[in-house]
Each structure stands twice: as C-alpha cells, then as structure tokens.
Amino acid sequence: MNDNIYIILNLDENKTDIANINAIFQRKKKEWNRWKVQGTPNQQKLANNYLGKEKEIESIIKDRKLIIEEQKKYKKYKISLKKGALDELDNMIKALSSNKITQQQYKLIVNKLKNRLVEKEIRDRISKLGIIISSNKSPKKKREIKPLDFSKIGNINRLLQDLNKQDLYDFLDLKQTSSVRLLLSRADEIYKNIFGKKGNENDIKNQLIGYCRDLFKSEEDKERYDYTLSLQSLKKLDAPLEISGADKVLTKQEIKNILNIASKYNISSDDALDYIYAKAEEKNWTIVEDAIDIEISKCIFCSALIDIKVDRKCKSCGALVKQPCPICKNSIYITEKSCKSCGLYISDIPTMKERIAKVDDLLNLNNILGAEKEISQILNLWGNWKEAQLLSKKIKNLKLKEVNELKDIKQLISQKFYYKAQRLLNDYIKKYDKTKNSEVIRLEKEIESQIKKVDLYFQKAEKAFIEKRWSDAVRDYELVLSYIKDHKIAEKKLSQIPIVFDNSNIILDKNLKVRINWSISSIENISFSIIRKKDTPPTNNKDGIEIAKTHNNIYIDNINSGGIYYYAIYPIRNGVTLEKGNILEPIFIPYDVKNFSITKIDKKVQLSWELPKDAIGIELYRNIGDKKFNKEDGEKIVINKLSNSYIDNSVKQGNIYTYLIIANYIDVKTNKKISSKGIYKSINLLGTLKNQIRVNYEVKKSKKFILFGSVNSLWVEMKSIYEDLKLSDIVIVLNKERVPLNMSDGDIIKNMKSVTFTNGLAKINISKQYFNKKGYIKIFFKQTNKAIRLIPAKENKLKI
C-alpha cells in the first residue's frame, strides 16, 4: 500500500483533478531532490525510493481512470486502518479496572493512536463506552465578594415583604441585569410620584428608595447586593446537586442543568458554579474534565443560560448571541456587560425596547404629553439612541400639529365659520384632550353661545320663507350668514329664493366672440355666475364650466373651438349661488377645418384639409413671411371652394409663405354666411442659406484694413441668388476667446429685425466700437438656423 500515490503525494482522498495532482507532484519532486542532498538519513531513503518511482507515478497521474482506482484502494486502506485502531482502543479500555480514566492514561492512548485516529474520534469512542475522563485541575473560584451585613439585608427584606415584593429589582419593576444608571433613574421616578404624599405605604417606599440609592450607587455595590441575594437562595440547589452527584461524578450537562435551576432563583451563574464546585470538593465527587472552568452566562432578554462557546442563539427566546448595538451598531454579545464601542449597558437593551414600545402605545392613544415625558426620560438615559431621537422628532411634529390644529380652529371662529370649528374641535377633543383643558372649554362655550344666539334670527327667516315674504326672508337669512358664514341651511334657503330677469340677449359678433347682456329688477347687491356647456343646456349651477363671476350685466366670451354652446346666468346673493338661473338660447360657433397641412412639391405648394360637416366652402389667403395676418392684408387665392385640397403654382423660391384657411357656413338664425376664425400654416422656400447668400466685405474710409484694427466701421455686403429676399431676426455675436457656438455664446453686438435684399443685394453695418485687438464675430440667422463666421484677415479680405 506504500506505493499508492495518495500516500506518496499525501493527497486529499477526495482529490481527482489531473492538473491539481500534477502540480502537487512537481512540488514533491523538488522537495525529494532537496531531501536527497540535505535531508536526514530517513528523508534521503524516502527520496531515493520515491524518485525511483517517478515514471510510474507520472503514468498514473496522466490517466484519470488509474487515479480513481488508486483513490478506491486508498479509501479501503483508511477504513481498515481506522477499524484496527478502534479495535485496539476498545481493548485498551477493557483493560481498565473502573469506568474512569485519568488524564495521564488518556494522553497515553492519544499518543498511541494519533497516526490513525484524531483526538475527537478517541474522545467520542471513550464517551460512547460510558468511560469518564477525570480532571487533574481544581475548579477556580469565580469571584471573591463580601456579602451585605445580615441586619441590613434583613431590614430590606421586611420592607419588601410589606409591599409583597421579592427584592429591590421587583420593587423598581426592572430586571436584575439592569445598569445602575437605569436603576437609580427608576428610583428617582418613584420618589417624584410619592413626594409629599403621606401614608404607611409611601413611608416604606421612601425607605426602600434610600436603600436603592445606597446599594446601586456603583456596579461594585450592586454586585454585593446580587451576591447576597444569591447566598439566600443557594441552599435551594442542594437537592438537585445530591441527585446529580449520586454516582460521585458531575458531568458538564449535569452542571448546566443545575445552573438552569439557579437562574430561576435569580442566582448568578458565577455564584452557582462556586457553590457546585465547593459541594463537589466537600463530597469528594469527580468533575468531568470538560466541565472545569465552564463558560456560561445569562441571556439579557430572558435570563436563560447561554454557553458562549457553543450557542449561536438563545435556546429560550431565540435572540442572537452576537448582534448589533442599538446605539452605535457595532457587534455586541448579549452576555457581555457593556458595548465596547459606545459603553451602552447591554443589560438595559430589553428595558430600552420596552420603553420605546410604551412610547408607541402612548402615541397610538394620542397621549402626546405622556409620550413626550417618556421619551425625555429615555433620552436622558440613552441620548445617542437613534430610534429614540427619531421618536422625539416625531413627537415634536405631532405636538406642533396639535398646536396648529387648535390654531386653525381659532382662525375659523375669528372668520365666523362656527359649524366647521365645532366639528374640528370635537375631533380635536377625541384625539388629544379627553379631559378638556381650560382653552378648549372656552372655545366650546364661545361656539355654542354664537349658534344659540343666531338660532333666533334663523327661526324668523324660516317663518318668512314659508309665508313667501321673500324680502324679509332674504334679510333674515343674510343676517344669519353675517354671524355664521357656514350656516348651510340658511345658504340653501337663500339660494331657493328666486330673482326675476327682465331681459337677456346673446349674439355672436363679427370677430366670433359671444356677447351676453341681461338685466334684473331686484335692488339687492347681486353678482352673477356665467356657466357655459357644449351641446346640451346646463341643468344646475354645477353643470358645465363656470367661465366668469361678475357684478356687471354684460360679458364677452372668446371661444377657440367650434360647436353648439349653451350659456346660463345664475345670480349670486350674499355669496350664495341661486339654484334657479336664466338659461339662454344656444349659439353656434363655426368649426375650423381639420388636419390642415402644407407640402412643398418641386416648385409648387400643395395644401390639404378635412372639410367640417355643414360647411358650404372654404376661403384661402396667402402672405409672404412667417407672421399671422388679417385676411384683408393677404392675397385671396381661393374663394368658397368646396374641396379638400389645393395646389399653389404661383409661389417663388426664396420666400417664406403663410396661408390662412377659413371655413364658411350658413347661420340658421339669420340665413347669412358665417365664417370660422381660421387656421394659419407657414412654409419655408428659402432652401439652404449657404446656397442662397454670397458674402463680400468692404471698409468705409480705408483702402486696406485689418478686421480688428483702427477703422470706422465694417460693412458686410451679402448677395443672394434670389432678387427679392427678406430674412428676419438677425443676431451678430462677438466672443473675445473663441468662435461663438450659438447666439448666447458671447456679446450680442447687433440685433436686427430683418434684412431685405434689393436686386439680390443687402448690407449689414458693424460699428467700430466693437473691434477689439482680438476676437471672433459670427452672424446668426434665426429664421434658417444658419450662421456666417467672420475670420480676421491680414489684408482687405475676410474669409467665410
């Protein structure tokens, strides 16, 4: 078996990769060659043996099948080797005279079998056979603490018994693991609650608070109190100890079980272990080796025992043994005293979370004052706690919201919206102030008093309304609304009292604007709401679009889209729109054509559109330029043509043309022609600017010049291939550092509305004041999005 490559190359039994094995073989060859020269006699012997098998090994590691065969042989060999070692271990154990082995015997067994079995396999086999490995070590006492004076602890216990409390932690309603800072803070809270109050119970609490301040003034003092509590309960462990030690041996699991019992009596694990070790020494019991110096602590959340070397989670509450600190987010262990980064007492975390939950509960009950008080105490203890800081901010915002809500209610009262104020005040009381403070009571009385006062006027108005004494009813309802602006019933009744229109008229003028006028006989201060609706008449003052509110008796409406429109005039009395209005006869606004488009075809312009229903024809006008124009200023090219297209053959290249198309109808009321507003479209026949314009330059009062030299002015002469060309919106830009990229890149030195070419020629004058020693000028033509750059030249020429 010594010829197996897994033994020779010391390979992992699961490794079969050829490249990997070959790399290991190459390293081994170097090692063997080194042994051959510098190694011990035994290494030299092995090196000669292995190097002599070099070709044989190479042939095996090149073939995967041969490698797998070697692997199978090696695994069988290991199994047989392990079985033989276990049999030998069993024989050694059978030779023992008892069910215990000493540390010395255990070490001899490990040394004998170490090449065939790992120590864990040996220990597991011994344990499986029920053999105990005794320890040579003596357990160390966990701590040396002096307990409290017997009389002092007796006085504390008597006082606690009167209040039916187990210990000072029970009195403070906190856990034994709480920090002294938290304990003292809680003692101060109790003191504030009973301060100045008499009675036997409060006297007892005062005395206990004194003991708390004395025993919890430092962690060392607290530790003495905890140790004293443990001593009072340690005798309770005797019974389970006697049962566990009946076989004269204490195992690790037995000690753990006793520690769990101790935790239920609030005995610290250190004190419990000291007691167990002392009892074992007294009774001459053997403590199994792995139970010596056991590291066990309590979970701060549930007080269950945790073996920090084994456990990842608390087996009772499931909390992670290692978790982030709630303040600084660094890792902490739930068995440690404090966070090493921020100093937070980890034992306080459960109380922190409970108190935060209490704040949330108070907020859910809208008890903002209680939540504010609680969060203030939390931040006094843990000022850097982010969650508490966020809650404090939330409480401040809620408090501000509460103040603003009350402020809004007062504002409504000052504006005489009493019913809305009353509704919001009731909501406020439900949310924030169930007991009603003095300010809330004052506001309640003010609202109720005003509503009661106005009810007398309202009853008068109701009587006049029933008897149809309209002027009296209007007067009294308006009086009600002057005191309470949101009196809905008064508003409703006031809107039902009619106003008679003497006359009304609606026409469409020549500019297609709707003109409405009307008159009423009432002497009241009335305004009007104008409602417009397309296709059908309005049924009420909300049915349609309110286009205006006016005190006048005339209104002009400018509508951009065609159709049949209905108008209604609703009177407004004292801010209340009446239910009944004056609906006017419908009016027709002519439709424009749809989908009007212009296309250039060769040297012609093709126009197309969709003719609206009921139209009797169209009118088409044309003008040079890209601006809108009145039809009187344009050239008529089509009159009353009933078609959907037209080709314009009379256009000239080099111009911009704008077209106006108007649809014509017959007005059924007057039997006269009526026209739509019209639609404009432009088309550019300029082509490319570079192909249209040639630019020359000349300088006045100078034969030769340098562009940025001392000259009076520069004339830019432009020639066009078209005789009559007009370009609009020309901008000349100067940039001192580079060629201008666009119209905004530099100083605008000239801005011209237009340039007209007469017989194909046009000039632009640039003043002398803009010629500096260096710089670049560019002429931009907005209309065509093109530009000409002027470049400095040595003589009397400029380059484009």
Side-chain angles (χ1 to χ4, degrees), residues 624-627 656 686 693 715-716 718 724-732 750-758 761-765 779-784:
I624 295 175
D626 60 352
K627 306 295 183 187
I656 296 174
L686 292 175
I693 305 169
W715 284 89
V716 180
M718 298 184 292
D724 298 313
L725 173 64
K726 185 177 181 180
L727 295 176
S728 60
D729 297 324
I730 292 113
V731 176
I732 304 173
K750 193 149 191 168
N751 203 333
M752 302 175 67
K753 288 185 178 179
S754 64
V755 170
T756 303
F757 287 77
T758 305
L761 294 174
K763 286 184 178 184
I764 297 175
N765 177 266
I779 303 174
F780 291 91
F781 298 86
K782 286 185 185 177
Q783 190 174 324
T784 56

Side-chain angles (χ1 to χ4, degrees), residues 386-402:
K386 192 71 176 175
E387 189 176 354
Q389 290 172 347
L390 291 173
L391 263 179
S392 177
K393 189 175 180 181
K394 180 181 177 181
I395 290 166
K396 284 178 183 175
N397 290 336
L398 287 172
K399 197 174 177 185
L400 182 63
K401 184 183 175 186
E402 179 184 347

Side-chain angles (χ1 to χ4, degrees), residues 731 733-735 739-748 778 780 787:
V731 176
V733 179
L734 169 65
N735 190 312
V739 176
L741 301 174
N742 52 54
M743 286 180 276
S744 302
D745 186 25
D747 298 325
I748 296 175
K778 205 167 188 179
F780 291 91

Side-chain angles (χ1 to χ4, degrees), residues 332-345:
I332 56 173
Y333 289 90
I334 61 170
T335 56
E336 290 179 348
K337 188 175 181 181
S338 62
C339 173
K340 293 174 183 177
S341 177
C342 67
L344 169 72
Y345 274 82

Side-chain angles (χ1 to χ4, degrees), residues 101-105 107 133-139 287 289 292:
I101 59 171
T102 65
Q103 279 291 314
Q104 190 177 2
Q105 289 172 320
K107 285 178 181 177
I133 306 168
S134 62
S135 173
N136 294 331
K137 294 192 288 184
S138 297
I287 297 176
E289 185 196 20
I292 297 295

Side-chain angles (χ1 to χ4, degrees), residues 170-216:
D170 190 20
F171 167 65
L172 295 174
D173 194 23
L174 290 172
K175 294 185 178 180
Q176 188 174 350
T177 52
S178 300
S179 67
V180 293
R181 189 179 179 189
L182 181 58
L183 293 166
L184 290 174
S185 172
R186 178 62 183 144
D188 288 342
E189 285 179 39
I190 296 172
Y191 179 75
K192 287 175 184 175
N193 289 335
I194 65 170
F195 180 75
K197 296 178 181 178
K198 295 182 180 180
N200 185 49
E201 185 179 329
N202 288 331
D203 290 341
I204 293 170
K205 286 181 179 179
N206 255 324
Q207 292 181 64
L208 287 173
I209 288 166
Y211 280 119
C212 287
R213 288 171 174 170
D214 179 42
L215 297 177
F216 299 144

